[in-house]
């Protein structure tokens, strides 16, 4: 069963809006994610212990990780974002500590994401791709499913790609996750753009590609880091408008779409 209908006829584009996913599209994670999550949760536990919470970092991690996984799975079902700070507040309340302040939760998130952030690296062809698109007159934005907006902003700055983008929109800030139409509509509204004037580039079939297809954007699936269980389950049921193996292939593709037929 095909879960989406890829538009067969779209209006010609002239200098379109190009939206990018962030993780595994513009930047990549160097390491085994599950292992580093364990390390991040332990660092979070250490932070809380230093703040006076009466448990060990190991005991906190053993409680936090399973609950975090449950909430993570739930948000992909409902497409409602649950920020990681909110998840921490839920876990602490369930452990008998319901009074965590917003300021403490924010500092806790910095301890947590501070372990993961150095493992993210910009793709080697990202800057050249973004430069080429801007030279063509494209407007660029980022749509990222992420549990913490501040973390995404940090990653964007670390990758030195912020100057290319007019918009950086996260599910943590928007409240909904791709493929929910609202996060795409918010991006289009920022430019007053119609769906047929936009391109969405990402690695996840069930988030980036499905969301773009349902709304009528041209979807581009970047495949070099896409061999994941998420994608393997959806192969053949979610069909991108185009596929590329690297970001270097994107500017010629966009240029082709913007060239009027003879």
């Amino acid at each position: 069963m095909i879960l989406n209908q890829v538009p067969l006829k779209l209006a010609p584009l002239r200098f379109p809006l190009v939206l990018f996913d962030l993780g595994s599209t513009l930047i990549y994670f160097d390491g085994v994610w599950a292992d580093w999550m364990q390390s991040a949760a332990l660092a979070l536990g250490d932070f809380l212990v230093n703040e006076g919470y009466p448990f060990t970092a190991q005991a906190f991690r053993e409680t936090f990780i399973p609950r975090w996984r449950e909430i993570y799975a739930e948000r992909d079902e409902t497409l409602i974002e649950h920020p990681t700070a909110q998840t921490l507040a839920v876990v602490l309340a369930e452990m008998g500590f319901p009074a965590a302040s917003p300021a403490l939760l924010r500092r806790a998130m910095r301890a947590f994401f501070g372990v993961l952030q150095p493992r993210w690296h910009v793709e080697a062809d990202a800057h050249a791709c973004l430069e080429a698109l801007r030279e063509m007159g494209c407007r660029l934005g980022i749509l990222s499913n992420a549990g913490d907006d501040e973390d995404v902003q940090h990653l964007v700055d670390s990758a030195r790609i912020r100057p290319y983008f007019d918009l950086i929109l996260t599910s943590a800030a928007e409240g909904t996750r791709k493929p929910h139409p609202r996060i795409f509509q918010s991006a289009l509204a920022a430019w007053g753009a119609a769906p047929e004037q936009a391109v969405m580039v990402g690695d996840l079939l069930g988030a980036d590609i499905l969301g773009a297809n349902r709304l009528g954007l041209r979807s581009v699936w970047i495949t070099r880091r896409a061999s994941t269980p998420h994608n393997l389950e959806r192969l053949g049921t979610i069909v991108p408008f185009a596929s590329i193996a690297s970001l270097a292939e994107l500017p010629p593709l966009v240029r082709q779409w913007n060239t009027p037929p003879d």
Side-chain angles (χ1 to χ4, degrees), residues 2-257:
I2 304 299
L3 296 181
N4 61 280
Q5 179 63 53
V6 179
L8 298 178
K9 293 183 180 180
L10 293 172
L13 294 176
R14 290 299 294 167
F15 311 120
L17 167 62
V18 183
L19 301 171
F20 288 86
D21 176 48
L22 183 61
S24 297
T25 298
L26 293 169
I27 62 176
Y28 67 95
F29 191 80
D30 177 22
V32 178
W33 179 257
D35 294 344
W36 282 99
M37 274 296 300
Q38 294 286 338
S39 298
L42 189 63
L44 179 55
D46 281 331
F47 168 83
L48 294 169
V49 169
N50 289 335
E51 290 293 315
Y53 282 84
F55 43 64
T56 66
Q58 292 81 1
F60 170 81
R61 179 175 64 179
E62 291 172 5
T63 301
F64 177 79
I65 288 290
R67 194 71 175 96
W68 175 83
R69 286 174 178 157
E70 290 176 6
I71 293 174
Y72 192 93
E74 177 187 329
R75 64 184 190 169
D76 278 343
E77 290 291 329
T78 65
L79 302 184
I80 302 301
E81 185 60 78
H82 297 282
T84 309
Q86 183 182 95
T87 299
L88 174 58
V90 168
V91 171
L92 289 174
E94 291 173 349
M95 295 175 74
F97 309 103
S101 69
L104 182 138
L105 292 172
R106 178 45 39 204
R107 288 188 290 116
M109 290 301 95
R110 291 171 185 158
F112 177 74
F113 288 108
V115 174
L116 303 171
Q117 287 164 351
R119 311 304 306 181
W120 287 100
H121 306 286
V122 66
E123 294 284 6
D125 53 1
H127 285 269
C129 170
L130 298 173
E131 187 71 32
L133 292 172
R134 288 303 294 257
E135 287 179 357
M136 268 190 269
C138 299
R139 308 299 296 271
L140 307 182
I142 289 175
L143 292 186
S144 178
N145 277 357
D148 193 87
D149 184 74
E150 182 180 291
D151 176 53
V152 167
Q153 303 299 332
H154 175 91
L155 294 175
V156 167
D157 287 331
S158 293
R160 299 182 180 179
I161 57 176
R162 185 178 295 277
Y164 297 108
F165 291 97
D166 304 307
L167 175 73
I168 299 167
L169 183 59
T170 67
S171 57
E174 176 65 23
T176 57
R177 293 174 62 80
K178 296 174 292 186
H180 196 289
R182 191 166 75 193
I183 191 168
F184 292 91
Q185 290 165 342
S186 292
L188 295 174
W191 284 276
E196 61 269 19
Q197 295 175 295
V199 177
M200 177 69 209
V201 185
D203 67 300
L204 291 180
L205 290 171
D208 306 305
I209 305 308
L210 181 60
N213 286 351
R214 284 177 170 172
L215 210 59
L217 288 74
R218 285 171 169 83
S219 59
V220 179
W221 186 33
I222 185 164
T223 61
R224 64 180 162 197
R225 303 188 188 278
S227 295
T228 65
H230 170 100
N231 285 326
L232 292 175
E233 291 174 1
R234 293 161 176 81
L235 280 176
T237 63
I238 299 173
V239 182
F241 191 80
S243 296
I244 57 176
S246 70
L247 291 171
E249 299 174 50
L250 184 62
L253 186 61
V254 173
R255 187 177 295 110
Q256 175 187 333
W257 287 339

